[in-house]
Amino acid sequence: MRTGADYKESLRDGRDVWVLGEGAVDDVTTHPATSGMVDEYAAWYDRHFDPQWQEILLTLPDESGQRHPLALTPPRTPDDLKRMGKQISAVHFLTGGNMTHTPGYGELIALGLQNVMKRLDNSSEDIQAAEEYLEHISSSGRFLTYAGGGPLIGTRLRSDESDRIALKLVSETADGITVSGKIQMHTSTPFAEDLLISTRNDMPTGSGRFLWFIVPVNAPGLRVVSRRAAARHKNPFLSPLSGRFDELDSMVWMEDVFIPRSRVFTGEPPNRNRKQSLVSWMLWHHSYGWLAKAELSLGVALALAEIMGLKDNPQTVEQLVEMTVNVQTTRTCMTAAELDPETSVSGHALPNQIHVAAAGINTLRVRQRMGEILRGLPGSSLINAPADTDFADPVMAAELEDAFGGGGYTAMQRAALLQLAWDQVSSGLDGREAAFELHASGGLDSWRRQLGAWFERYNELANGVHDFVSVDLPSMDLTSLQEIESAPRRMPQVTTGG
């Protein structure tokens, strides 16, 4: 297992990163827009060497007494899956769900790739290459992230319909392929080492062949173009979350980028409703991140109820119970996904996808309501809370203590918790998370369609009413409900002058 220092060193490898509003980034390990997140990823690696964390983060000893990071060990049994889920949950809680893509997430991407190659019954070369890459990730801890390969708005508005594709196959030889194009938003690429791209268009056009490929982030001809950094105060007291966890969702631009044959795979057209897809394990990981964010909101609300003297207020108690029910419903669904797993084509334990979908639907459904409760619970103090620097002036400190202190808590203590609450539900980071998940996960409607497509008891339940009516009913077939298609992507209308 590599250390955080090893990971940081790997980032100084000639990558081309541009942060919108900041310009070119010479070194992501030191640049103000990126260095904080690099430190968080380095801490992820180093935590595996901390004795206090090893029971959660490492496997049980094997026959030779060796232990391996759980996040980098594909789950074979339901017990493996439960232990991995506990590990994912614990790591997510450390960041309040704000570090959505850990290096362990890359293992789940590679696991999904291997499974799809086997499900499609691809060539032995494809399957072997996917298995070798999964082993490479497991043994090295190399950081892999994922992009769906969709086109940008400028591409979608081109006058020639044949040009409205994200990626073009420039050339292909026995050694590999050369690709050019621009693909839309995905997460953590400035901090990753490899990127798996699953194309939405066939390559070449008209071939019906969907090429997926893994490319190093520092590959010649590849540029990472990140969104602007989330607005945050330079004082960490005022930005306890946004100052640490800004993953810088990015576009990737490629100009004649070469991908060796061992990193090229024949995939399939995108379909969000397909079971055992590339993203099956990733959806589980996402849902744990959303749960951690909800748990942090509940934790902050509970602490505020105490520190603001509201824990005996009937309205506040009702709100806290509502938030608790929301959190526990999602966690129960996640537990069910691990206790009632599926077996993947590749023979691994896969969280039951319908339970994962139920967890995601519940979290997305209550997200806005939980934010509203947390914004309202502390009253206007949430807006007017002071900074730690305000206490440097003795006169101001005394006045602030009079205004915010008392009841067993100092003004500084209340201010710190109020600033955390603000950063959780009223900051640029919170707005980024809401907007990103709407687009990256498809939002609530997409998750509802997935559950509808995966539900397998339509006929059983419909025909189960026969015994409760006094007339004979013909057998009913509602399997068409499982064949629901993903909603078509909104496409801009191209107009030409004339």
Side-chain angles (χ1 to χ4, degrees):
M1 178 65 177
R2 72 203 310 197
T3 65
D6 295 332
Y7 163 70
K8 284 187 174 183
E9 185 59 35
S10 75
L11 298 182
R12 300 184 179 99
D13 55 6
R15 61 185 54 211
D16 183 0
V17 176
W18 184 283
V19 178
L20 295 173
E22 303 278 348
V25 176
D26 293 330
D27 185 348
V28 297
T29 66
T30 59
H31 193 279
T34 54
S35 61
M37 202 70 223
V38 170
D39 289 340
E40 295 297 333
Y41 285 122
W44 184 92
Y45 286 103
D46 288 338
R47 204 169 288 122
H48 291 78
F49 299 94
D50 184 344
Q52 295 184 349
W53 275 94
Q54 289 181 340
E55 288 305 308
I56 294 175
L57 300 184
L58 302 182
T59 63
L60 297 174
D62 59 21
E63 294 180 355
S64 62
Q66 298 297 310
R67 307 181 75 177
H68 193 69
L70 269 168
L72 304 177
T73 306
R76 289 285 183 183
T77 67
D79 187 60
D80 292 341
L81 197 64
K82 287 187 291 184
R83 294 198 74 227
M84 181 178 276
K86 183 179 179 181
Q87 172 269 139
I88 293 172
S89 180
V91 170
H92 270 313
F93 189 76
L94 286 177
T95 69
N98 286 297
M99 192 167 81
T100 60
H101 288 42
T102 66
Y105 181 81
E107 172 83 5
L108 302 181
I109 299 171
L111 185 58
L113 174 65
Q114 179 219 34
N115 193 57
V116 171
M117 294 300 100
K118 289 192 172 183
R119 176 172 59 76
L120 295 176
D121 196 22
N122 275 12
S123 67
S124 59
E125 291 81 8
D126 260 10
I127 294 173
Q128 181 179 352
E131 290 180 337
E132 288 178 352
Y133 187 80
L134 176 61
E135 174 58 32
H136 173 59
I137 288 287
S138 298
S139 60
S140 68
R142 190 169 173 85
F143 191 168
L144 170 70
T145 191
Y146 165 69
L152 293 161
I153 182 63
T155 304
R156 301 199 299 270
L157 287 171
R158 288 174 181 163
S159 57
D160 188 340
E161 186 174 356
S162 64
D163 287 335
R164 298 173 197 165
I165 56 175
L167 297 171
K168 290 186 176 181
L169 183 65
V170 176
S171 63
E172 182 172 12
T173 68
D175 294 329
I177 63 175
T178 300
V179 175
S180 289
K182 294 180 173 68
I183 59 173
Q184 64 185 15
M185 177 193 71
H186 44 284
T187 296
S188 297
T189 308
F191 315 103
E193 295 161 286
D194 286 347
L195 174 65
L196 169 63
I197 299 175
S198 62
T199 53
R200 292 185 183 177
N201 58 270
D202 53 352
M203 298 172 66
T205 303
S207 67
R209 183 177 62 158
F210 288 78
L211 294 182
W212 298 354
F213 52 90
I214 297 171
V215 58
V217 174
N218 68 330
L222 187 150
R223 165 168 278 191
V224 178
V225 182
S226 164
R227 64 162 169 80
R228 65 188 183 277
R232 56 181 179 263
H233 201 283
K234 63 181 179 181
N235 180 354
F237 187 89
L238 298 176
S239 55
L241 299 174
S242 56
R244 294 175 57 193
F245 306 116
D246 193 1
E247 292 177 304
L248 293 178
D249 319 300
S250 304
M251 304 170 281
V252 162
W253 300 353
M254 290 179 283
E255 183 68 31
D256 294 335
V257 175
F258 176 75
I259 299 97
R261 179 61 57 186
S262 62
R263 295 290 186 265
V264 181
F265 310 89
T266 302
E268 58 188 348
N271 183 340
R272 284 185 179 273
N273 298 335
R274 184 182 290 114
K275 291 192 85 174
Q276 294 212 16
S277 71
L278 176 63
V279 301
S280 293
W281 280 276
M282 285 188 265
L283 295 178
W284 175 53
H285 193 279
H286 285 176
S287 291
Y288 264 124
W290 297 343
L291 173 59
K293 188 171 182 68
E295 288 181 328
L296 179 57
S297 290
L298 174 57
V300 174
L302 291 167
L304 283 172
E306 162 64 25
I307 206 168
M308 303 298 289
L310 296 169
K311 65 180 181 181
D312 296 320
N313 176 273
Q315 181 182 3
T316 300
V317 171
E318 181 61 30
Q319 290 174 333
L320 294 175
V321 170
E322 180 182 346
M323 294 179 75
T324 303
V325 170
N326 293 338
V327 166
Q328 187 56 46
T329 298
T330 295
R331 182 162 287 281
T332 298
C333 291
M334 297 299 286
T335 300
E338 294 156 12
L339 294 179
D340 181 29
E342 305 171 31
T343 300
S344 72
V345 175
S346 58
H348 294 96
L350 173 67
N352 191 302
Q353 294 293 281
I354 200 165
H355 299 320
V356 172
I361 288 168
N362 181 68
T363 305
L364 291 172
R365 181 178 58 83
V366 303
R367 182 188 189 282
Q368 184 174 350
R369 171 61 179 161
M370 292 186 69
E372 289 174 350
I373 291 174
L374 187 50
R375 291 185 196 100
L377 191 150
S380 62
S381 296
L382 179 68
I383 299 172
N384 294 322
D388 55 343
T389 52
D390 295 319
F391 291 85
D393 181 274
V395 175
M396 191 64 175
E399 295 291 351
L400 287 172
E401 194 62 42
D402 179 62
F404 286 89
Y409 296 94
T410 66
M412 180 77 82
Q413 290 169 333
R414 279 202 177 88
L417 187 57
L418 288 165
Q419 296 296 350
L420 175 60
W422 176 271
D423 217 13
Q424 173 74 352
V425 293
S426 297
S427 67
L429 186 70
D430 174 59
R432 167 266 166 201
E433 195 268 347
F436 178 83
E437 296 303 347
L438 173 65
H439 296 289
S441 77
L444 184 57
D445 287 344
S446 176
W447 282 74
R448 287 165 61 92
R449 284 194 300 273
Q450 287 175 341
L451 191 148
W454 297 342
F455 190 74
E456 298 177 345
R457 299 184 62 205
Y458 291 118
N459 289 346
E460 174 192 343
L461 295 176
N463 290 302
V465 307
H466 288 193
D467 294 338
F468 296 91
V469 297
S470 58
V471 296
D472 289 335
L473 293 173
S475 179
M476 302 178 189
D477 183 3
L478 289 94
T479 53
S480 62
L481 294 176
Q482 289 183 299
E483 299 166 4
I484 183 172
E485 295 292 331
S486 297
R489 181 179 180 84
R490 293 177 304 154
M491 294 300 293
Q493 298 300 309
V494 180
T495 59
T496 58

